Amino acid sequence: MRAMIIGRWQPPHKGHIEVAKQILREVDELIVGIGSAQESHTLENPFTAGERVLMLTRALAAAGIDLSRVHLIPIPDVNNNAVWVSHVISLSPPFEIVYSGNPLVRRLFKEAGFKTKIQPMFKRKEYWGTEIRDRMIKGGRWEELVPKAVVKVMREIKAVERLKDLSKTDYLLR
Ligand code: ATP
Ligand code: MG
């Protein structure tokens, strides 16, 4: 059986890796859909799809996950919920089950006839993309919330510098 999990992975964190391990105990292969793939360099979506692929690949491998069981698929937004599932299907290897914490994602796939499942949340208050991006901007301790492999890629792409720049405004410049 092949399962799909979709997220924006901005960035991938330790909760995501736990979920991947857990799902791979239940199914043979996991498709990781990289949502909002066209987005980058915004506060919500600071990293490109390619950067997210790199972070995910490294972190999954470092967690001992056999990468031949994982497929990473960038999925750009279509901004049309009614056709979104067909769009995802058109870009992905075949799958039978969808794991998501997001109620809208579950609803859309359920209506299209897919089996859906909620995965458990791991330390959601900390292992949460929004919290990590916030700490990066404010100079807090974010490194402990993501796998070491992700810290390494973040350093390579100067992620903190990028986020801090993105959070600035030209309002008071003259
Ligand atoms: P953001 O705050 O940017 O939305 P996020 O942490 O929710 O970040 P997503 O990329 O939106 O990350 O999530 C991808 C998938 O991982 C979703 O199905 C989401 O419910 C799930 N997920 C997110 N955080 C955790 C966690 N701590 N434990 C388990 N699953 C998680
Ligand atoms: Mg989310």
Side-chain angles (χ1 to χ4, degrees), residues 40-52:
S40 75
H41 297 81
T42 69
L43 287 175
E44 267 274 286
N45 292 292
F47 309 118
T48 66
E51 288 164 346
R52 290 176 268 164

Side-chain angles (χ1 to χ4, degrees), residues 3-39:
M4 164 70 84
I5 183 164
I6 301 188
R8 288 180 300 106
W9 322 104
Q10 292 280 14
H13 55 61
K14 287 181 177 173
H16 293 147
I17 302 306
E18 272 316 304
V19 162
K21 279 202 249 177
Q22 178 128 345
I23 298 174
L24 281 165
R25 274 182 225 124
E26 297 174 16
V27 301
D28 307 301
E29 292 176 44
L30 179 62
I31 301 155
V32 180
I34 301 173
S36 301
Q38 84 287 0
E39 296 276 343

